[in-house]
């Protein structure tokens, strides 16, 4: 539940997260653990458990909900009652006019008002009280037992002990009176010792049982919100039953979820099973009527998916009846299938008993062999023949197909060929295959070595603006200078057509110097420095 604020989750991850949270709430999955190893309650709402984005929380934690301010130095002590600090011998200015103490005035004085105050009599000056100031926390200010002296409880214990002693004396006196009446009575046999004990004894157990007699009592409440009377049960269970979370107080034992009151595992796994009355919720969930109820729910879901109008919560009686009919039909179908199988293949279990000789595979025949394995005495055991042909070698092979296995392929062991119905090549074929394999590996290694070497880069001679220039081209510096001047004049004429002459001669011949001058003077719009060229 307490997830860290992280990246975006897909729809599938979000669905899995919701299912995990529901399982944790139901007690079917262990609770989430924070950075300190403490379990996080799965029932905490998401708006409380999710950390703010600016904390950059990578792991689930509840630190952002805890108090982050350091508490001041709160004290656990209390006032020293009745403590005195200083005893003056004569009255001091500013002291109490009644008793003469400096720690309070006459209005707050707790002594009896004197006829002549200490201010005028200057006698019997009261000592100064000890003044203390404590900074208590929230709980300390509201603790009703703060400053209580536990030794005062000894008086309460003594009072109860005196009451018990008086009760025991009273019981003994009553017993003595009953015995005297028994001795003085005319028929002593009528009054027995058991009657005396029953009448006199104050049975505390009976008193406690009488207090618990109202365990199942239903009281009527008349003054309710709706105006009617409602029946309420006073107690939920007999308090003599030990709660499941008290069976094993070890912190590492079975996990108990207080919200759902569930404990999945066995709290006492090493105890005697005959002495345990609680084995965990999983044991009850997988035994008894719980398993049958689970199967009923599964049948209802599957039947609803297949188109039947059935709902376990809306019509439980109908769902249970359909489930019973389903089990009866399933049993009938199983019996019918079994009868068909027996009718088709027969029933070997219902036939006569098989002879023991066949069961044990033993006979009285004796066979003797020599060291080479040849039979000396007796009859050779006939091996059972199968319907398939065995030990038939084709195409000059000396082994059968499937006697060789390599690289997930079957083949012949005699020549190690993996092609079915191929002609046997013998040991020469094995050597040729190994040589071909070695040659292929060498070629692969040489090719990898050639690929690792970088190919030589051919340096190309480029012109001013990246155009390839033939290697044997040589430019004349004077012709290039004159070509640049002509290019400048041509551009000026393009800008102002009034400077163009009437008789214009056009020359179609373009030299290498003219082409180079055109390239050098050409404006490149992609060049960031084009504005600074001219």
């Amino acid at each position: 539940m307490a997830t860290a604020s992280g990246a975006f989750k897909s729809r599938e991850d979000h669905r899995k997260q919701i299912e995990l949270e529901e399982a944790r709430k139901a007690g079917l999955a262990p609770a989430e653990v924070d950075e300190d190893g403490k379990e996080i309650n799965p029932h905490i709402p998401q708006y409380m458990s999710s950390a703010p984005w600016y904390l950059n929380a990578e792991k689930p934690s509840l630190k952002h909900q805890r108090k982050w301010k350091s508490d001041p130095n709160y004290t656990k002590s209390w006032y020293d009652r009745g403590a005195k600090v200083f005893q003056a011998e004569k009255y001091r200015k500013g002291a109490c006019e009644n008793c003469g103490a400096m720690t309070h005035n006459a209005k707050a004085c707790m002594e009896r008002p004197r006829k002549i105050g200490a201010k005028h009599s200057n006698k019997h000056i009261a000592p100064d009280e000890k003044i203390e100031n404590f900074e208590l926390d929230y709980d300390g200010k509201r603790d009703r037992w703060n400053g209580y002296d536990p030794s005062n409880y000894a008086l309460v214990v003594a009072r109860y002990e005196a009451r018990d002693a008086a009760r025991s004396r009273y019981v003994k006196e009553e017993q003595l009176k009953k015995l005297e009446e028994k001795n003085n009575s005319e028929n002593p046999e009528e009054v027995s010792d058991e009657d005396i004990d029953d009448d006199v004894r104050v049975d505390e157990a009976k008193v406690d049982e009488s207090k618990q007699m109202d365990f199942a009592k239903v009281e009527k409440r008349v003054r309710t919100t709706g105006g009617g009377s409602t029946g309420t049960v006073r107690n939920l269970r007999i308090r003599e039953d030990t709660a499941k979370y008290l069976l094993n107080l070890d912190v590492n034992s079975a996990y108990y979820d207080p919200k759902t009151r569930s404990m999945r595992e066995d709290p006492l796994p090493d105890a005697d099973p005959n002495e345990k009355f609680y084995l965990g919720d999983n044991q009850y969930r997988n035994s008894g009527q719980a398993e049958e109820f689970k199967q009923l729910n599964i049948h209802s879901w599957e039947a609803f998916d297949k188109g039947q109008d059935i709902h376990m919560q809306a019509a439980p009686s109908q769902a249970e009846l359909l489930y019973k009919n389903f089990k009866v039909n399933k049993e009938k179908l199983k019996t019918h299938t079994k009868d068909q199988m027996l009718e088709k293949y027969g029933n070997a279990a219902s036939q006569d008993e098989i002879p023991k000789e066949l069961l044990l595979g033993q006979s009285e025949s004796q066979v003797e062999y020599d060291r080479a394995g040849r039979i000396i005495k007796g009859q050779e055991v006939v091996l059972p023949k199968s319907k398939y042909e065995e030990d038939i070698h084709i195409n000059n092979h000396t082994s059968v197909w499937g006697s060789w296995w390599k690289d997930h392929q079957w083949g012949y062991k005699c020549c190690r060929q993996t092609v079915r119905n191929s002609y046997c090549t013998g040991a020469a074929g094995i050597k040729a295959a190994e040589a071909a394999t070695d040659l292929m590996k060498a070629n692969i290694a040489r090719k990898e070595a050639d690929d690792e070497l970088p190919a030589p880069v051919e340096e190309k001679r480029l012109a001013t603006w990246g155009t390839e220039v033939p290697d044997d081209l040589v430019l004349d510096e004077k012709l290039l200078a004159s070509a640049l001047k002509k290019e400048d004049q041509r551009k000026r004429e393009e800008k102002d057509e009034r400077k163009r002459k009437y008789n214009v001669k056009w020359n179609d011949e373009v030299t290498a110097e003219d082409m180079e001058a055109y390239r050098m003077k050409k404006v490149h719009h992609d060049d960031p420095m084009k504005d600074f060229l001219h």
Side-chain angles (χ1 to χ4, degrees), residues 196-211:
I196 296 174
D197 295 339
D198 291 340
D199 295 338
V200 177
R201 185 186 303 118
V202 180
D203 195 353
E204 297 294 339
K206 288 185 178 179
V207 173
D208 295 339
E209 289 178 0
S210 64
K211 292 180 180 179

Side-chain angles (χ1 to χ4, degrees), residues 24-27 29-31 39-43 237 242-248 250-267 278 280-281:
R24 284 172 177 165
K25 290 180 181 179
E39 294 182 348
I40 300 175
N41 191 344
H43 298 278
R237 63 177 175 85
T242 306
K244 61 179 73 174
Y245 54 84
L246 297 178
L247 295 175
N248 191 351
D250 187 6
V251 294
N252 296 324
S253 63
Y255 174 72
Y256 174 76
D257 187 10
K259 186 70 176 181
T260 58
R261 299 179 182 177
S262 61
M263 182 180 287
R264 300 180 299 277
E265 301 177 0
D266 187 2
Y278 180 73
D281 293 343

Side-chain angles (χ1 to χ4, degrees), residues 42-61:
H43 298 278
I44 296 178
Q46 186 178 8
Y47 72 91
M48 295 175 60
S49 60
S50 58
W53 59 270
Y54 50 81
L55 293 181
N56 296 326
E58 298 180 355
K59 296 182 179 179
S61 176

Side-chain angles (χ1 to χ4, degrees), residues 67-109:
K67 184 169 59 174
W68 54 273
K69 290 185 178 179
S70 59
D71 294 336
N73 296 326
Y74 293 130
T75 180
K76 298 293 183 181
S77 58
W78 197 245
Y79 301 100
D80 191 4
R81 296 179 178 177
K84 307 299 180 182
V85 179
F86 177 72
Q87 175 71 48
E89 297 180 355
K90 58 182 180 179
Y91 182 78
R92 294 160 293 177
K93 184 179 180 181
C96 177
E97 298 178 358
N98 184 40
C99 64
M102 288 289 294
T103 53
H104 60 271
N105 52 15
K107 188 176 182 180
C109 185

Side-chain angles (χ1 to χ4, degrees), residues 303-354:
F304 182 78
D305 292 339
K306 292 179 181 179
Q308 284 190 345
D309 188 9
I310 179 175
H311 197 279
M312 183 60 194
Q313 282 72 31
S317 301
Q318 179 191 6
E320 186 174 2
L321 183 60
L322 290 175
Y323 181 58
K324 288 182 180 179
N325 296 337
F326 168 74
K327 290 196 294 184
V328 172
N329 296 333
K330 184 179 180 181
E331 192 66 27
K332 288 182 180 180
L333 181 61
K334 188 184 297 184
T335 306
H336 180 65
T337 306
K338 182 179 179 182
D339 294 341
Q340 285 183 345
M341 297 293 290
L342 294 177
E343 183 180 355
K344 185 175 182 179
Y345 299 103
N347 189 3
S350 63
Q351 295 178 357
D352 298 336
E353 295 183 359
I354 303 175

Side-chain angles (χ1 to χ4, degrees), residues 3-16:
T3 57
S5 57
F8 173 76
K9 292 184 179 179
S10 63
R11 180 178 298 178
E12 185 68 18
D13 295 340
H14 184 65
R15 183 184 62 81
K16 291 181 181 179

Side-chain angles (χ1 to χ4, degrees), residues 17 23 90 102 138 192 232 253 267 322 389 408 415 429 454 491 515 527-528:
Q17 182 69 20
K90 58 182 180 179
M102 288 289 294
Y138 183 86
S192 61
T232 58
S253 63
L322 290 175
E389 295 179 352
H408 303 281
C415 59
K491 286 190 174 184
M515 198 66 192
D527 189 1

Side-chain angles (χ1 to χ4, degrees), residues 153-342:
Y153 192 72
L155 301 176
V156 180
V157 176
R159 185 169 68 251
Y160 276 90
E161 288 178 352
R163 187 193 66 179
D164 294 339
R167 179 182 296 175
S168 61
R169 287 197 304 270
Y170 173 76
V171 169
K172 290 181 180 179
E173 291 176 358
E174 292 293 330
Q175 287 179 349
L176 291 176
K177 289 181 181 179
K178 292 290 183 180
L179 290 174
E180 290 178 359
E181 292 179 358
K182 177 183 177 183
N183 295 330
N184 298 331
S185 63
E186 298 178 354
N187 297 326
E189 297 178 356
E190 295 178 356
V191 183
S192 61
D193 296 337
E194 295 179 358
D195 297 336
I196 296 174
D197 295 339
D198 291 340
D199 295 338
V200 177
R201 185 186 303 118
V202 180
D203 195 353
E204 297 294 339
K206 288 185 178 179
V207 173
D208 295 339
E209 289 178 0
S210 64
K211 292 180 180 179
Q212 294 184 359
M213 288 292 287
D214 297 336
F215 148 69
K217 181 180 178 182
V218 178
E219 295 181 349
K220 294 293 184 180
R221 291 185 179 178
V222 178
R223 296 180 180 179
T224 57
T225 306
S229 61
T230 59
T232 58
V233 180
R234 296 185 64 180
N235 295 322
L236 297 177
R237 63 177 175 85
I238 301 177
R239 296 303 173 184
E240 294 176 358
D241 297 340
T242 306
K244 61 179 73 174
Y245 54 84
L246 297 178
L247 295 175
N248 191 351
L249 300 180
D250 187 6
V251 294
N252 296 324
S253 63
Y255 174 72
Y256 174 76
D257 187 10
K259 186 70 176 181
T260 58
R261 299 179 182 177
S262 61
M263 182 180 287
R264 300 180 299 277
E265 301 177 0
D266 187 2
L268 300 171
D270 300 331
D272 186 8
N274 298 325
E275 298 180 357
K276 292 191 294 185
F277 67 93
Y278 180 73
L279 302 176
D281 293 343
N282 287 343
Q283 181 69 19
Y284 296 143
R285 188 178 291 112
N286 299 326
S287 62
Q289 296 181 350
E291 188 69 23
E292 184 178 355
F293 183 72
K294 186 191 299 182
Q295 295 297 331
L296 177 59
N297 280 325
I298 294 174
H299 172 262
S300 301
W301 298 335
E302 292 179 352
F304 182 78
D305 292 339
K306 292 179 181 179
Q308 284 190 345
D309 188 9
I310 179 175
H311 197 279
M312 183 60 194
Q313 282 72 31
S317 301
Q318 179 191 6
E320 186 174 2
L321 183 60
L322 290 175
Y323 181 58
K324 288 182 180 179
N325 296 337
F326 168 74
K327 290 196 294 184
V328 172
N329 296 333
K330 184 179 180 181
E331 192 66 27
K332 288 182 180 180
L333 181 61
K334 188 184 297 184
T335 306
H336 180 65
T337 306
K338 182 179 179 182
D339 294 341
Q340 285 183 345
M341 297 293 290
L342 294 177

